[in-house]
Amino acid sequence: MARKSEEAPAEIVREYGPFPDTKHVHGVSYDGERVWFAAGERLQSFDPGSGEQGRALAVPASAGTAYDGRYFYQIADGMIRKVEAATGEVVATLPAPKDASASGLTWAEGFLWLGDYGGRKIHQLDAKTGKVLRVIESTRFVTGVTFVDSELWHATLEDGQSDLRRLDPETGEVLERLVMPEGVAISGLESDGADLFYAGGGSSGKVRAVRRPKR
């Protein structure tokens, strides 16, 4: 018998932006110091303390973004580009899952995890080849995905409503939901590894920090 998921309003603790020359925030990632977001033709960073923009990498960036400690993985044009964070050089390309409407992306536990928006799925990928290793089903459009302390979270957007959902990574069962205010959409998603999620704000050009529930 499925457990009833916990539900609570999402606590937005800070908004960043809208940022200059940014029409849409797509994927979001975090390198331990700076938040990065996909802004179409560039991967743009900002300081989460001051909110000031920092370095940018000139790489096509129209969907999810991930970071493994050395490389960014950036979705655009139906592929995943592996980008050297220090230089911005594209060192490899991986195929996105066939027929998937690739949205969110994160790197965790040695794998890439890719959100499939229209398919309402999360794909676990081999980070070297892009091979699909496993598929987790969702009941909502998936717009972002992240892992923190072995917890799998994904963002949704459907019928004008977004929420953050914690899933059982083995079964896909929804364990917890954080409901965003009406009219506040989430595009990309990433954890800071502690008590915050960074949520892309789509066409608002903003990134929002959302409180992660304490255990």
Side-chain angles (χ1 to χ4, degrees), residues 10 103-104 115-118 120-122 137-146 152-167 172 174 176-181 183-189 199-202 208:
S103 52
D116 177 354
Y117 176 78
R120 296 185 173 98
K121 298 173 182 176
I122 297 169
E137 302 283 345
S138 177
T139 59
R140 302 267 291 181
F141 292 144
V142 178
T143 61
V145 59
T146 190
L152 172 59
W153 289 80
H154 81 85
T156 76
L157 174 60
E158 198 157 342
D159 299 326
Q161 179 65 58
S162 278
D163 63 16
L164 297 175
R165 296 186 170 203
R166 178 167 64 92
L167 305 185
V174 179
E176 188 172 5
R177 296 177 60 231
L178 303 178
V179 181
M180 297 294 283
V184 177
I186 302 178
S187 48
L189 180 69
R208 297 177 175 91

Side-chain angles (χ1 to χ4, degrees), residues 28-32 34 36 65-73 83-86 105-108 112 190:
V28 179
S29 196
Y30 180 68
D31 69 3
R34 295 170 296 275
W36 293 78
T65 309
Y67 180 67
D68 71 359
R70 179 178 177 182
Y71 299 101
F72 288 108
Y73 298 82
V83 182
E84 173 74 59
L105 190 68
T106 196
W107 186 92
L112 290 170
E190 187 62 287

Side-chain angles (χ1 to χ4, degrees), residues 14 16 30-35 46-52 196 198:
R14 185 167 179 180
Y16 301 93
Y30 180 68
D31 69 3
E33 296 181 357
R34 295 170 296 275
V35 179
F46 69 87
D47 183 324
S50 67
E52 294 296 319
L196 291 177
Y198 292 109

Side-chain angles (χ1 to χ4, degrees), residues 21-33:
D21 302 317
T22 300
K23 295 181 179 179
H24 200 289
V25 173
H26 301 283
V28 179
S29 196
Y30 180 68
D31 69 3
E33 296 181 357

Side-chain angles (χ1 to χ4, degrees), residues 6 148-149 151 153 166 176 178 197 212-215:
E6 299 178 25
V148 55
D149 295 337
E151 294 180 356
W153 289 80
R166 178 167 64 92
E176 188 172 5
L178 303 178
F197 295 111
R212 177 191 171 204
K214 292 184 178 180
R215 302 285 171 236

Side-chain angles (χ1 to χ4, degrees), residues 24-30 36-45 57-68 71-85 88-96 102-107 112 114 125 127 188:
H24 200 289
V25 173
H26 301 283
V28 179
S29 196
Y30 180 68
W36 293 78
F37 63 89
E41 298 302 319
R42 73 187 191 283
L43 188 56
Q44 177 69 55
S45 70
L57 303 178
V59 59
S62 59
T65 309
Y67 180 67
D68 71 359
Y71 299 101
F72 288 108
Y73 298 82
Q74 180 58 59
I75 300 172
D77 309 319
M79 69 180 72
I80 303 170
R81 290 176 172 85
K82 185 177 181 179
V83 182
E84 173 74 59
E89 179 186 0
V90 176
V91 299
T93 58
L94 309 175
S103 52
L105 190 68
T106 196
W107 186 92
L112 290 170
L114 180 143
L125 307 181

